[in-house]
Amino acid sequence: MCPSDDGDHRRAVCKKSIQVRSRDANGKVLLAHALAAHNWEQFYKMATCEEMTSCFYSVVLSLLDKFLPVRQIEYNINDKPWITEKFRYVIRRRQNAWTNGRMDEYRRYRNQAIRLAKTLKKRFYDKKVRDLRRCDSRNWWRHTKRLIGQAKKSELTGLANALTDGDMAALADVINQSLKRVSDDLKPLRAVEKTALDIVPEQFIIYPETVLMKLEKINVHKAPGPDGIPNWFLRDFAAFLYEPICAIFNASIREGHVPNVWKRANVLPVAKVNPPVSVDSDLRPISLTPTISKHLEAIVGGWILEMVGDQLDTKQFGGLKGRSTTHALVDMLYHWHAALDNGSSTRVLFVDYAKAFDHVDHNLVVDKLKTFGLSEIITDWITSFLCDRQQRIAIDGYFSSWVSLRGEVPQGSWLGPLVFLILIDNLRPDLLAHQFVDDKTLSEVVEKRQVSRMQSAVDELINWSVANKMNINTRKTKETVLGPLSRNPPVLVLPQATETSWHGTE
């Protein structure tokens, strides 16, 4: 029900609108002809990557709006999914007849509404059941819950009620400011101004065929970023777009500059616990960046892995192809069980970092990239990729204002995890250590009457964390002891959690 005393206010509260871009088949045909006929001559003559990007978006978005415009669709939040405009018309006539005392007309429309409701319900649910038979596993359960009326409401409703009197737009700003404060203590990275290269080495040239192949493989089920270009458009019209996009890619590499529109992200706050009760500790920010930029990130990331892949820690099981939590668990359990079978003890420390992806010093990242021996072309491009990034929070169709962050790597981008792996790679204590992105597990086999070395390894870990401006989350850092030593476990000293700031929070 829509709680209100006033009829007009009730209708306003019950109404909700969404913006949907047209997918009309005829419009798509006309759009394809317009893209094929467009003259890109001036575009290719532009001096900078930023100008080319601005021109590309201007052309593409104007043609999209012309042939496949965005429409505002208004609906009642209490409407059943099978309700149609014809059914609403019959209900309006029925109510009008009742209000004016025309009882014969009222009964006629009442009976018509009953019959129409039965027909529409049967038609709707029969179609949904048929669709379920053809539905892939990814969507089957989501469609099933929607079919039986168990579609999940926003996880953030409770937070909005507690903090902003139910105002989701205000909650979005609160969350955004909370995320911004995490990196306010870091020194911002500044891009180095330099002239574009006249000659780019062959290994760093991107060919149109590569771009076309990537565009044609876009997953249209994934959400796009804030640039306004839908994924289905990039995939379905790849044949008309790949050449200008390739030109922007090469200009970006040549200049060591990432276009500003590609450094913006819509951030979805995903609850770590249900229901979340704290903005600071119970939300995980997932960034939705422009799809085009992700493909350039993937190309650059491939180059980086070719150059530094064999230098990365072999016990890093996260963020790299062919490695997973299963591999990490199998390797850890092998060492632990081997020690226990020999009568030894195993001392294990599970280390967690607070806000690991949100508190990354970009200056340290760039310095570490240079120690890996990466080309200056790559380090300049990564520097531009990291500096002056902006984000806004998106909740249920509401957006916060834009804010600039001093230090973070976007969770949800292609390069974010790889950049973080490079930052944390030299964290290698003098013990057996397994790592899954930011989660570190230290294991020590302690023989009988042998003195444990875990405390010295932890001291080394703490010193590294301080030097690299990362904060150990002592609330989620746990120790366990297996074997005979567990009867009289040694005491491990960890840094104290800071209660007055975000340090030490989850």
Side-chain angles (χ1 to χ4, degrees):
M1 293 294 293
C2 298
S4 100
D5 301 323
D6 173 86
D8 292 337
H9 178 64
R10 178 182 177 182
R11 284 190 292 273
V13 171
C14 291
K15 293 290 185 182
K16 187 173 182 179
S17 61
I18 57 173
Q19 290 187 334
V20 178
R21 187 173 289 280
S22 171
R23 301 285 289 271
D24 177 63
N26 292 332
K28 287 186 175 183
V29 172
L30 293 173
L31 176 59
H33 283 298
L35 285 171
H38 184 76
N39 186 353
W40 294 95
E41 182 179 353
Q42 292 301 316
F43 166 84
Y44 288 111
K45 292 180 179 178
M46 290 181 174
T48 67
C49 166
E50 200 68 56
E51 291 176 354
M52 295 173 74
T53 306
S54 178
C55 176
F56 174 81
Y57 275 90
S58 176
V59 170
V60 166
L61 291 176
S62 63
L63 290 178
L64 263 173
D65 290 338
K66 180 179 180 180
F67 297 107
L68 299 172
V70 174
R71 293 187 174 89
Q72 194 89 2
I73 298 178
E74 194 174 73
Y75 64 96
N76 192 305
I77 60 176
N78 292 327
D79 277 352
K80 301 296 183 182
W82 47 264
I83 288 179
T84 64
E85 191 57 42
K86 181 180 178 180
F87 183 80
R88 293 190 184 96
Y89 170 78
V90 173
I91 294 297
R92 287 196 298 269
R93 295 299 299 267
R94 183 196 68 181
Q95 295 304 106
N96 182 264
W98 172 268
T99 303
N100 293 285
R102 300 191 299 271
M103 301 310 295
D104 289 341
E105 184 180 346
Y106 164 75
R107 282 188 286 270
R108 185 170 70 252
Y109 280 113
R110 179 199 62 190
N111 295 337
Q112 184 179 348
I114 293 172
R115 290 193 301 270
L116 186 57
K118 290 180 179 178
T119 301
L120 291 174
K121 284 181 185 178
K122 185 176 187 306
R123 185 184 305 163
F124 174 81
Y125 288 112
D126 285 349
K127 182 180 182 300
K128 288 298 180 183
V129 170
R130 288 196 304 271
D131 290 344
L132 280 176
R133 295 191 181 113
R134 300 190 297 268
C135 188
D136 58 64
S137 58
R138 185 183 68 86
N139 289 317
W140 191 91
W141 184 239
R142 179 166 60 89
H143 287 313
T144 301
K145 288 198 294 184
R146 186 178 299 171
L147 184 62
I148 61 179
Q150 292 184 0
K152 193 174 184 181
K153 296 182 179 179
S154 174
E155 298 172 320
L156 305 182
T157 303
L159 272 179
N161 292 335
L163 300 177
T164 59
D165 294 327
D167 188 340
M168 283 292 187
L171 178 64
D173 278 312
V174 170
I175 294 173
N176 212 20
Q177 290 302 317
S178 173
L179 292 175
K180 178 181 178 296
R181 285 195 297 271
V182 172
S183 59
D184 277 350
D185 62 311
L186 298 176
K187 182 179 179 182
L189 179 66
R190 298 299 179 192
V192 179
E193 296 292 336
K194 57 183 300 181
T195 57
L197 297 173
D198 294 326
I199 300 176
V200 177
E202 176 72 20
Q203 68 189 100
F204 300 129
I205 294 177
I206 302 169
Y207 293 95
E209 295 78 13
T210 302
V211 178
L212 177 61
M213 181 181 65
K214 288 187 174 295
L215 293 178
E216 289 178 336
K217 293 182 179 179
I218 288 177
N219 185 347
V220 297
H221 298 295
K222 290 188 176 181
D227 61 346
I229 298 183
N231 287 345
W232 59 262
F233 170 74
L234 292 173
R235 186 195 66 179
D236 296 347
F237 294 85
F240 308 107
L241 303 172
Y242 74 98
E243 289 183 330
I245 290 177
C246 182
I248 297 174
F249 283 4
N250 282 311
S252 177
I253 298 298
R254 185 171 62 251
E255 299 172 26
H257 174 78
V258 178
N260 293 329
V261 70
W262 292 352
K263 294 194 287 186
R264 287 186 158 197
N266 287 338
V267 175
L268 306 182
V270 178
K272 296 180 182 178
V273 296
N274 193 18
V277 295
S278 169
V279 166
D280 295 325
S281 61
D282 292 346
L283 301 177
R284 176 179 289 106
I286 303 298
S287 300
L288 300 179
T289 55
T291 301
I292 300 177
S293 70
K294 285 183 182 178
H295 290 303
L296 181 54
E297 291 175 45
I299 292 171
V300 175
W303 294 340
I304 294 174
L305 285 174
E306 286 181 6
M307 290 181 272
V308 309
D310 57 348
Q311 302 178 51
L312 295 176
D313 189 354
T314 57
K315 295 297 184 181
Q316 173 60 262
F317 293 93
L320 296 172
K321 188 176 181 180
R323 306 187 194 182
S324 67
T325 51
T326 302
H327 295 100
L329 288 171
V330 168
D331 197 57
M332 283 189 286
L333 289 172
Y334 169 78
H335 288 91
W336 298 348
H337 283 292
L340 295 176
D341 289 344
N342 292 328
S344 304
S345 298
T346 302
R347 194 176 183 187
V348 184
L349 181 69
F350 303 95
V351 182
D352 182 79
Y353 281 101
K355 305 287 187 182
F357 277 75
D358 304 323
H359 194 264
V360 172
D361 191 319
H362 293 160
N363 295 281
L364 286 174
V365 170
V366 173
D367 290 341
K368 292 191 178 186
L369 284 170
K370 294 176 181 177
T371 64
F372 276 91
L374 286 173
S375 167
E376 185 178 353
I377 293 176
I378 300 299
T379 55
D380 288 345
W381 193 90
I382 293 293
T383 300
S384 178
F385 172 79
L386 292 174
C387 71
D388 300 323
R389 298 196 67 88
Q390 291 185 310
Q391 72 174 35
R392 65 180 179 180
I393 300 296
I395 306 175
D396 292 346
Y398 299 101
F399 294 96
S400 70
S401 55
W402 291 99
V403 297
S404 297
L405 303 178
R406 293 192 171 194
E408 58 91 41
V409 289
Q411 299 184 61
S413 67
W414 200 100
L415 270 179
L418 180 58
V419 167
F420 188 84
L421 295 189
I422 289 173
L423 170 68
I424 206 169
D425 184 71
N426 66 338
L427 174 54
R428 303 187 186 186
D430 188 23
L431 284 179
L432 176 64
H434 296 80
Q435 194 157 291
F436 191 84
V437 192
D438 62 317
D439 295 319
K440 195 85 172 179
T441 302
L442 304 183
S443 303
E444 179 193 20
V445 175
V446 183
E447 306 290 347
K448 293 180 180 179
R449 292 180 293 277
Q450 180 182 346
V451 178
S452 172
R453 296 182 291 116
M454 180 63 78
Q455 185 61 58
S456 62
V458 169
D459 293 339
E460 181 185 347
L461 177 78
I462 294 170
N463 292 334
W464 182 95
S465 302
V466 171
N468 288 270
K469 301 179 182 178
M470 294 185 65
N471 300 274
I472 297 174
N473 181 1
T474 54
R475 293 182 181 87
K476 293 176 70 175
T477 296
K478 306 294 182 181
E479 183 192 18
T480 187
V481 179
L482 309 173
L485 191 63
S486 61
R487 301 189 191 100
N488 186 24
V491 178
L492 188 67
V493 180
L494 290 172
Q496 294 296 313
T498 304
E499 300 293 345
T500 56
S501 70
W502 68 268
H503 299 269
T505 62
E506 295 182 4

